[in-house]
Amino acid sequence: MISASAPGRVNLIGDHTDYTGGLVLPMVLDCRTTIEGEFTELEWDLTSADEPERCRFTPGVDDPRSLSPRWGRYVACVVDELRNVGIGPSGFRGHVATTIPIGSGLSSSAALEVAVARLFADHTNGVLSEAEIAQLCRRAEHAASGVPCGIMDQLCIVSGRVGHATLIDCRSLHVQHITFPDDLVVSVEFIAPRTLAGSEYADRVEQTNRIESIIGPLRDAREADLVRIDDPLLVRRARHVISENRRVTEFVEALASSDHTALGSLMVQSHRSLAQDFDTSTPIMEAAVERLLAEPDVLGARMTGGGFGGCVVALRRR
Ligand code: GLA
C-alpha cells in the first residue's frame, strides 16, 4: 500500500496575475486530499469518500478528457501527462478522501492533481523538479477542466511550507518561502460555490493577451503605459494587473516590517481593484468583505482566487 497527499491553498494577495507571469503570495492550508492504494497492472480504479461515483479508466485507452464522473478527469489527465514524460506503472486501485471543501475556490482540483503525481514520488524525485511537477499538473488541469489557469495553485501546493506564505514569481517560477508572523492569523470564509469553467475566467485571460499585444508583457508594464491602450475596458484590466504585482511586493515588505496598517490596506486595495477594474467580485462577496472589515481584530479582507464566488480571506490579529 502506498499513500500520497496534497493540501489546499488560499491566496493572500496577487490574484489574476499568474497567467501573465506576475507575482502571487498564496499559502498552503491545513486541509488536504489523500490517496491510498496499490499499483496494479492495467486499470485505474478509485473510490472517493466525497463523490458518489468511482473513477475507472485504462491509461492509453480511455480519453482522460471525457471521463465520467468528472472528478476522474483530473486523475486521468495527470496520469496521461506523466505517461507523456515516460513515468509510471499503468494501473492503481485505491481510495481518495479530502478535507478541502470541494469547488469552493481553495484548489481542491489542484490538490487532487498533485496528490496523484506524488503517488509516483519514487519515479519523479530527482527526475522532475517541483516546478516541472506543477507545470505537468497545470497542463492536466487545462485538459480536465478546459480552464486556462495559471501556475499559482499547482506550484504553491507542490512547494508550500506550513507556517509560510509562498512568494511565487510566475515568470521565472522562482519560489521564496516567507515566514508568516506569529501574531497574525489568516481566516478563510466560504461565500458561494463557483466553477471557473462556467465563469468569465477565460475572457480575462484573453483580455490580458490582447493588452500584451499592445503594450508588451504586463509584468514589465508601468501605470504610465496605460495611455497606450485605447479600449477603456482593457485599461481597467491592465491597471489591475500592474498595480496588483506592485502590491504583492509591498505586502511582502510589510510582513517583514510588521506594518499591520499597510498589510490591511494592501488587501483592501487588492479587493477593490479586483472588484472595480477586473470585475471578478459579486454582491455577496462585497457584503462579506465589508462585514469582515468591521470586525475589530481584522486588519484586511479580500476575495481570494479566481473570484465569481468562492472564498474571502481575512488577516487578523491573533
Ligand atoms: C484561479 C486559477 C489561478 C489564478 C487564480 C486567480 O485560482 O486557477 O491560476 O489565476 O484563479 O489569481
Side-chain angles (χ1 to χ4, degrees):
M1 290 288 276
I2 64 163
S3 87
S5 74
R9 70 95 188 94
V10 66
N11 194 17
L12 293 175
I13 196 160
D15 271 313
H16 288 277
T17 50
D18 61 347
Y19 48 82
T20 47
L23 300 174
V24 295
L25 189 71
M27 67 195 300
V28 288
L29 293 169
D30 53 5
C31 48
R32 49 203 306 126
T33 294
T34 305
I35 308 180
E36 277 180 334
E38 58 192 348
F39 285 113
T40 59
E41 284 294 307
L42 273 178
E43 206 195 35
W44 276 69
D45 185 355
L46 284 178
T47 51
S48 164
D50 312 280
E51 297 281 349
E53 281 183 68
R54 71 204 296 159
C55 139
R56 295 179 78 164
F57 63 94
T58 306
V61 176
D62 296 312
D63 178 0
R65 295 159 195 247
S66 56
L67 274 188
S68 180
R70 292 185 88 89
W71 70 270
R73 293 181 191 176
Y74 298 95
V75 177
C77 286
V78 173
V79 173
D80 201 43
E81 290 292 340
L82 286 164
R83 281 166 53 88
N84 288 344
V85 293
I87 289 173
S90 50
F92 189 84
R93 181 170 46 240
H95 185 70
V96 189
T98 192
T99 53
I100 307 170
I102 296 172
S104 61
L106 300 178
S107 291
S108 52
S109 61
L112 178 58
E113 291 150 16
V114 173
V116 171
R118 283 183 173 161
L119 287 174
F120 297 87
D122 289 348
H123 307 258
T124 53
N125 272 352
V127 181
L128 298 179
S129 65
E130 288 183 342
E132 284 167 331
I133 294 171
Q135 284 170 309
L136 184 150
C137 290
R138 179 191 180 193
R139 291 197 298 274
E141 172 85 36
H142 287 193
S145 69
V147 177
C149 69
I151 193 74
M152 169 170 70
D153 306 342
Q154 289 81 7
L155 191 48
C156 171
I157 287 169
V158 169
S159 63
R161 289 188 194 156
V162 174
H164 293 74
T166 320
L167 175 62
I168 303 175
D169 179 328
C170 298
R171 178 151 69 180
S172 67
L173 303 189
H174 180 72
V175 170
Q176 208 182 322
H177 302 285
I178 309 289
T179 308
F180 198 77
D182 285 341
D183 57 344
L184 297 179
V185 193
V186 172
S187 69
V188 185
E189 194 175 314
F190 175 60
I191 301 300
R194 72 102 179 83
T195 155
L196 291 181
S199 79
E200 299 177 73
Y201 186 93
D203 292 349
R204 298 299 184 277
V205 175
E206 186 272 325
Q207 287 160 356
T208 54
N209 288 341
R210 270 196 283 147
I211 294 166
E212 294 196 314
S213 71
I214 302 167
I215 63 169
L218 269 162
R219 175 65 188 279
D220 300 324
R222 297 285 168 266
E223 258 108 349
D225 294 311
L226 295 175
V227 294
R228 294 163 55 201
I229 308 171
D230 291 330
D231 181 340
L233 178 78
L234 295 187
V235 170
R236 288 199 287 122
R237 301 294 191 250
R239 188 165 56 202
H240 165 70
V241 178
I242 294 168
S243 60
E244 187 78 347
N245 280 328
R246 174 173 42 73
R247 281 187 289 270
V248 174
T249 307
E250 289 174 3
F251 194 89
V252 171
E253 288 164 2
L255 276 176
S257 61
S258 297
D259 186 342
H260 291 182
T261 311
L263 290 171
S265 151
L266 287 163
M267 286 180 84
V268 173
Q269 287 172 40
S270 167
H271 178 77
R272 300 232 160 98
S273 178
L274 284 159
Q276 290 161 16
D277 278 348
F278 229 65
D279 296 311
T280 51
S281 187
T282 62
I284 182 169
M285 297 175 92
E286 291 304 294
V289 168
E290 288 311 315
R291 175 173 46 74
L292 283 164
L293 290 176
E295 293 183 22
D297 61 332
V298 169
L299 299 171
R302 56 186 288 280
M303 59 150 276
T304 179
F308 311 108
C311 288
V312 294
V313 61
L315 189 66
R316 297 168 185 270
R317 284 185 204 91
R318 186 177 287 279

